[in-house]
């Protein structure tokens, strides 16, 4: 299932835009911005195919982590167009930046950096770089779009608008690129939350279809994106005291700037002057957690599902489609904030501060 695909039923202003992009100096950076179900991916597919047909080298940066086209999900991805395609899901990713969630509100910095890094990589080889963005255009979404535009400096920012709802965003983005406004196509269809979830389910399932469980040595691969493993391990007397005070089964813990404890069955929580004296992580929140395998350049080689951590042995069991060589080349195992099964079922989202 794909929300959008290639279509010949295209409003005339899209052809005008295609002609304009074809005539511009290169490399050309184009950012597509619009609300939910405004037709960004359909427009991107039309433009990418049209430009490629005219002999231009086209790259796509897919940063719509909530409704991802280019696999894997929960990343920003770069792909090059090698031939006609009907949906971005047909494209093979060239490079990825790990976000670790399908809701980017708490990861504005990572989203902006990811788009910047992959756009720079794309511009080294492509004549035109098309940047797809999320439908997150209110609240924090405005700042997310501004940061992306400020970092990338797109030559053209295409706004897809229904009824003037993009007016404020137009003013915010105007200093960073030439604004072109298109009306949302009458053919654009709204999708329910259930439909979106089903689309994501198929993407997850497709990505993990040929996966295996690998063991990751956390003494050699840095566990990142979490407060776990920071500081010295808890002493036995500290574990016993925490267990007695709060009725926890302490699975693991560390003492750094504050205590960080992985526990089961919390019945209490201690605070001091507005911040936690003890940062607690429920053990069950680590089960089926999305993780990213990071290379030495800070890019994501692929993702996996965390199945188990042996804290005393510093070993992690991770389900992933990555090859043995790719796993061995990872320098960091970065923790995400979504729990998902290999059959595509999403179990829940975590807040950033939970890990």
């Amino acid at each position: 299932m794909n929300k959008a695909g290639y279509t010949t039923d295209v409003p005339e202003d899209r052809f005008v835009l295609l002609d304009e992009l074809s005539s511009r100096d290169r490399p050309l950076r184009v950012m597509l911005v619009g609300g939910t179900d405004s037709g960004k991916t359909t427009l991107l597919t039309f433009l990418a195919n049209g430009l490629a047909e005219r002999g231009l080298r086209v790259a796509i940066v897919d940063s719509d982590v909530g409704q991802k086209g280019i696999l894997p999900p929960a990343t920003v991805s770069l792909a090059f167009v090698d031939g006609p395609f009907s949906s971005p899901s047909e494209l093979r990713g060239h490079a990825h930046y790990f976000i670790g969630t399908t809701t980017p509100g708490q990861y504005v910095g990572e989203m902006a950096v990811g788009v910047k890094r992959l756009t720079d990589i794309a511009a080294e080889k492509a004549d035109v770089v098309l940047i797809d963005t999320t439908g997150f255009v209110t609240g924090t979404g405005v700042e997310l779009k501004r940061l992306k535009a400020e970092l990338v400096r797109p030559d053209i920012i295409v706004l897809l608008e229904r009824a003037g709802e993009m007016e404020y965003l137009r003013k915010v983005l105007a200093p960073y690129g030439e604004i072109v406004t298109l009306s949302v196509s009458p053919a654009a269809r709204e999708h329910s939350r259930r439909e979106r979830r089903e689309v994501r389910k198929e993407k997850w399932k497709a990505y993990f279809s040929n996966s295996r469980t690998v063991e990751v040595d956390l003494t050699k691969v840095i566990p990142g994106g979490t407060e776990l493993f920071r500081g010295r391990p808890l002493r036995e007397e500290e574990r016993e005291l925490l267990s007695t005070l709060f009725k926890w089964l302490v699975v693991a813990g560390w003492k750094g700037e504050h205590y960080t404890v992985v526990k089961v069955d919390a019945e209490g929580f201690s605070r001091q002057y507005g911040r936690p004296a003890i940062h607690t992580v429920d053990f069950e929140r680590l089960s089926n957690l999305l993780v990213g395998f990071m290379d030495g350049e800070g890019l994501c080689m692929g993702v996996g599902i965390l199945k188990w951590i042996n804290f005393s042995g510093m070993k992690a069991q991770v389900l992933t489609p990555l090859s043995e060589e790719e796993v061995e080349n990872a320098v960091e195992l970065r923790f995400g904030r979504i729990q998902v099964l290999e059959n595509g079922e999403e179990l829940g989202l975590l807040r950033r501060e939970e890990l």
Side-chain angles (χ1 to χ4, degrees):
M1 178 190 295
N2 289 296
K3 281 177 52 190
Y6 186 69
T7 176
T8 55
D9 183 18
V10 180
E12 182 61 30
D13 57 7
R14 272 63 166 171
F15 289 99
V16 174
L17 176 61
L18 178 60
D19 289 338
E20 177 65 21
L21 298 184
S22 302
S23 66
R24 289 293 186 104
D25 292 337
R26 301 155 195 152
L28 180 68
R29 303 180 180 201
V30 183
M31 180 178 289
L32 307 182
V33 178
T36 303
D37 294 327
S38 60
K40 294 186 301 299
T41 304
T42 300
L43 175 61
L44 177 142
T45 303
F46 167 75
L47 293 175
N49 278 286
L51 292 166
E53 288 172 1
R54 298 182 184 198
L56 299 180
R57 178 69 162 144
V58 180
I60 293 173
V61 175
D62 182 357
S63 67
D64 190 357
V65 294
Q67 291 294 300
K68 194 81 184 308
I70 304 166
L71 297 180
T75 64
V76 178
S77 297
L78 162 65
F80 292 96
V81 177
D82 294 323
F85 67 98
S86 60
S87 168
S89 61
E90 299 169 19
L91 302 177
R92 185 169 180 235
H94 175 79
H96 311 278
Y97 193 88
F98 186 70
I99 305 300
T101 184
T102 56
T103 55
Q106 292 186 309
Y107 284 82
V108 168
E110 285 85 352
M111 289 285 292
V113 169
V115 168
K116 166 64 173 173
R117 292 202 61 192
L118 296 189
T119 299
D120 287 347
I121 293 171
E124 293 176 359
K125 299 180 179 180
D127 298 312
V128 182
V129 184
L130 301 174
I131 305 165
D132 196 11
T133 63
T134 69
F136 189 29
V137 293
T138 58
T140 307
V142 174
E143 292 306 300
L144 174 56
K145 299 298 185 292
R146 179 187 63 79
L147 286 171
K148 287 181 180 179
E150 186 174 347
L151 284 172
V152 171
R153 297 286 172 162
D155 300 283
I156 296 177
I157 301 171
V158 181
L159 297 183
L160 285 163
E161 187 174 53
R162 284 190 171 87
E165 77 277 8
M166 305 294 285
E167 184 60 32
Y168 179 71
L169 197 53
R170 180 182 293 106
K171 295 176 182 178
V172 170
L173 298 179
Y176 307 111
E178 177 186 342
I179 304 291
V180 173
T181 302
L182 302 180
S183 296
V184 172
S185 170
R189 180 177 78 85
E190 292 188 11
H191 296 77
S192 67
R193 180 172 294 184
R194 180 178 177 277
E195 287 177 305
R196 293 174 179 281
R197 191 180 183 94
E198 285 300 311
V199 170
R200 289 198 304 271
K201 182 175 182 178
E202 291 191 16
K203 303 292 186 183
W204 290 118
K205 186 176 180 180
Y207 182 76
F208 287 111
S209 61
N210 294 304
S211 296
R212 62 193 176 88
T213 301
V214 299
E215 184 173 81
V216 181
D217 187 343
L218 298 180
T219 65
K220 298 178 180 178
V221 179
I222 300 169
T226 175
E227 291 193 31
L228 304 181
F229 305 99
R230 299 182 187 180
R232 63 164 176 79
L234 294 184
R235 301 186 182 97
E236 187 57 36
E237 57 269 26
E238 291 172 316
R239 296 170 68 105
E240 291 178 359
L241 179 60
L242 290 169
S243 296
T244 301
L245 287 175
F246 301 109
K247 310 302 181 186
W248 295 337
L249 170 61
V250 177
V251 179
W254 301 265
K255 175 64 173 72
E257 182 180 346
H258 52 243
Y259 285 99
T260 299
V261 177
V262 180
K263 50 77 180 174
V264 177
D265 296 327
E267 294 181 3
F269 194 71
S270 176
R271 290 185 176 271
Q272 61 177 21
Y273 193 59
R275 67 171 189 170
I278 304 174
H279 175 67
T280 60
V281 177
D282 285 323
F283 184 63
E284 65 179 14
R285 302 296 265 168
L286 299 174
S287 177
N288 295 301
L289 184 73
L290 189 74
V291 293
F293 289 87
M294 314 302 295
D295 67 15
E297 300 295 322
L299 297 178
C300 179
M301 296 182 290
V303 303
I305 299 174
L306 182 64
K307 291 299 184 180
W308 183 260
I309 298 181
N310 179 345
F311 287 101
S312 60
M314 290 294 286
K315 306 286 186 182
Q317 301 291 325
V318 181
L319 183 76
T320 181
L322 291 185
S323 68
E324 184 176 337
E325 180 181 2
E326 288 172 317
V327 171
E328 289 179 352
N329 287 335
V331 300
E332 178 189 345
L333 188 70
R334 189 169 297 175
F335 286 44
R337 295 297 187 276
I338 185 170
Q339 293 173 292
V340 63
L341 297 176
E342 53 270 32
N343 66 3
E345 182 183 355
E346 293 178 353
L347 303 178
L349 292 165
L350 284 69
R351 299 184 305 276
R352 183 166 191 155
E353 65 271 15
E354 283 188 71
L355 295 181

